[in-house]
Amino acid sequence: KREIAYQLLDKNYKQDAVGLFAQLATHAGPQENDTKQLLYLWGPRLSGEQVQWLATRASKSRDTNERAQWSRYVADHADADTLIAFLDQNPDFLGDPVVLNQYMDALYRRGRFDEVSTKVLQTAKDTGNTAILRNYARAAVGYSKPQLALDAYRELDTMV
């Protein structure tokens, strides 16, 4: 299938090649060439269906590193609203600093940064991940939200 997909690309049958790479990537890990080729062919901004495909792979992955990579693909390729919806439904992915930063940026761009405070504090408590609070506090300072930063630093003091 892979060889046929590359031949289709050579002959400018991109959509047909995408279909084959999608089949190949169904059982591939996030770092495998079939997955990377599929993401490249999909382009920089994915459709809702494509993001859902990545989100499903992230949610079903049992390997911690693979889970992180799938969630980073979602964070890298989803628009702000889709990313917010995905992470609102899957807060356990907020432990990844790359994903958390993109989530906070998306919320800030939508005027909803203040909403994440409770979720971040609770996720940090539940996981014991102090990096979440440090990242959140830095972002709050950067977004001129000193009270939120102070709350995060106070919570951090109770955790360490």
Side-chain angles (χ1 to χ4, degrees):
K1 284 185 181 181
R2 187 174 300 103
E3 191 173 315
I4 293 169
Y6 281 113
Q7 289 174 4
L8 288 168
L9 283 176
D10 287 341
K11 295 179 183 182
N12 292 322
Y13 292 103
K14 180 181 172 184
Q15 285 310 112
D16 295 326
V18 166
L20 287 175
F21 278 112
Q23 290 175 18
L24 292 166
T26 298
H27 302 291
Q31 294 295 334
E32 292 183 38
N33 287 335
D34 293 330
T35 300
K36 290 179 179 182
Q37 185 65 42
L38 179 63
L39 288 171
Y40 174 78
L41 292 171
W42 277 349
R45 284 289 162 225
L46 305 184
S47 70
E49 182 179 310
Q50 293 164 336
V51 170
Q52 185 56 49
W53 187 88
L54 292 171
T56 299
R57 295 297 304 267
S59 297
K60 289 184 177 182
S61 182
R62 301 245 187 277
D63 180 87
T64 304
N65 293 330
E66 283 192 5
R67 242 176 107 75
Q69 187 58 57
W70 287 118
S71 66
R72 286 179 181 180
Y73 284 153
V74 172
D76 288 343
H77 295 285
D79 63 42
D81 294 325
T82 303
L83 178 60
I84 292 167
F86 169 69
L87 291 168
D88 283 348
Q89 294 174 1
N90 300 280
D92 52 315
F93 289 109
L94 293 175
D96 183 302
V98 172
V99 174
L100 176 63
N101 288 336
Q102 291 181 338
Y103 176 65
M104 290 186 297
D105 184 57
L107 287 167
Y108 181 75
R109 285 184 279 135
R110 293 295 183 258
R112 297 177 47 200
F113 185 78
D114 295 12
E115 293 176 23
V116 75
S117 179
T118 304
K119 183 177 294 188
V120 168
L121 295 174
Q122 191 60 49
T123 301
K125 284 180 188 177
D126 291 348
T127 63
N129 187 342
T130 58
I132 293 173
L133 285 174
R134 282 192 299 277
N135 287 342
Y136 175 73
R138 283 187 212 114
V141 168
Y143 297 141
S144 299
K145 304 282 186 177
Q147 186 59 50
L148 295 176
L150 184 60
D151 292 345
Y153 283 126
R154 282 184 179 144
E155 187 61 39
L156 187 59
D157 282 342
T158 67
M159 292 179 66
V160 290

